[in-house]
Amino acid sequence: GENVEQHPSTLSVQEGDSAVIKCTYSDSASNYFPWYKQELGKRPQLIIDIRSNVGEKKDQRIAVTLNKTAKHFSLHITETQPEDSAVYFCAATVYNQGGKLIFGQGTELSVKP
Amino acid sequence: KAGVTQTPRYLIKTRGQQVTLSCSPISGHRSVSWYQQTPGQGLQFLFEYFSETQRNKGNFPGRFSGRQFSNSRSEMNVSTLELGDSALYLCASSLDGGAGQPQHFGDGTRLSIL
């Protein structure tokens, strides 16, 4: 069945360092991969997404890469700041089921000043 | 534009009762998806509605049901509540749920079962 594995489950970095979170999906028909940031007690917020016809996408300090052959995608955050501390979720949708997101288990990122 | 609105924000129920949660999507969005978030299971897909029809369904028992109205607002119903139903229930809307369309979440309804 559809599955998304996310690693690591927790990540602690010093302010200014980079952070990388990795996800692997099982369904080769998956074609859309969003990343969400969820701060404590708040809604998940979409921070970046990538479609299967693109290998990399950047938005200021964040970037996502996709390797369709290996079925994995990664989130890269550079020059981390304390306000980046949150839980990050990767997700994948299945072809023709765009309204259905399969989520990874989440990564709790802590950025220490 | 107003975001996704969920009501109520908090609910306390007892086992065996039923509950109805409401979700108003972003204006113009016609697809509404529902998710259950728990510490142990993470975010799990419940179902998606589009044009008043359930289009996708996750692996939840039939006690979980939903519907969508002509104005795209959606409701989710859980009958015969169990302790394990305690969770944050999130809804998300997108334009039409097509491939590659971003989903935007509401603040959720936190349901506690006593």
Side-chain angles (χ1 to χ4, degrees), chain A residues 31-32 36 38 41 43-44 46 49 51 89 97-101 103 105, chain B residues 33 35 37 40-41 43 45 48 56 97 99-103 105-107:
Chain A
N31 59 356
Y32 174 65
Y36 287 86
Q38 188 176 29
R43 68 180 73 185
L46 179 68
D49 56 14
R51 290 162 180 76
F89 292 95
Q97 296 188 51
K100 177 179 180 179
L101 284 173
F103 282 89
Q105 287 297 307
Chain B
S33 297
Y35 298 86
Q37 185 173 28
Q41 298 297 319
L43 278 153
F45 174 78
E48 182 219 359
N56 285 301
Q101 287 189 8
Q103 290 189 28
F105 283 85
D107 287 327

Side-chain angles (χ1 to χ4, degrees), chain A residues 3 5 12 15-16 19 22 28 34-35 39 47 55 62 65 71 74 79-80 83 85 88 110:
Chain A
N3 188 47
E5 295 285 338
S12 181
E15 182 177 1
K22 299 182 179 182
S28 57
W35 285 88
E39 296 175 73
I47 57 171
I62 60 174
T65 58
K71 292 192 287 187
S74 300
E79 300 172 21
T80 53
E83 52 264 39
S85 296
Y88 291 81
S110 175

Side-chain angles (χ1 to χ4, degrees), chain A residues 1-7 23-28 30 33 71-73 90-94 100-105, chain B residues 41 43-44 59:
Chain A
E2 305 131 349
N3 188 47
V4 175
E5 295 285 338
Q6 183 173 346
H7 299 281
C23 290
T24 304
Y25 58 97
S26 61
D27 191 335
S28 57
S30 294
F33 308 91
K71 292 192 287 187
H72 67 70
F73 56 114
C90 63
T93 61
V94 180
K100 177 179 180 179
L101 284 173
I102 306 300
F103 282 89
Q105 287 297 307
Chain B
Q41 298 297 319
L43 278 153
Q44 292 190 292
N59 298 322

Side-chain angles (χ1 to χ4, degrees), chain B residues 4-21:
Chain B
V4 178
T5 304
Q6 291 188 246
T7 56
R9 291 293 313 277
Y10 303 93
L11 266 178
I12 299 175
K13 293 285 185 179
T14 56
R15 282 183 298 172
Q17 288 186 309
Q18 72 165 11
V19 67
T20 300
L21 315 181

Side-chain angles (χ1 to χ4, degrees), chain B residues 14-80:
Chain B
T14 56
R15 282 183 298 172
Q17 288 186 309
Q18 72 165 11
V19 67
T20 300
L21 315 181
S22 178
C23 173
S24 293
I26 292 171
S27 178
H29 284 193
R30 297 165 62 199
S31 167
V32 175
S33 297
W34 288 88
Y35 298 86
Q36 181 194 65
Q37 185 173 28
T38 59
Q41 298 297 319
L43 278 153
Q44 292 190 292
F45 174 78
L46 281 153
F47 30 65
E48 182 219 359
Y49 283 86
F50 175 75
S51 290
E52 302 178 62
T53 301
Q54 187 181 90
R55 190 161 63 173
N56 285 301
K57 190 177 187 306
N59 298 322
F60 279 81
R63 300 185 297 106
F64 292 82
S65 63
R67 59 177 174 168
Q68 186 180 37
F69 302 94
S70 58
N71 62 356
S72 295
R73 188 177 72 86
S74 177
E75 287 182 348
M76 187 188 107
N77 185 273
V78 188
S79 63
T80 319

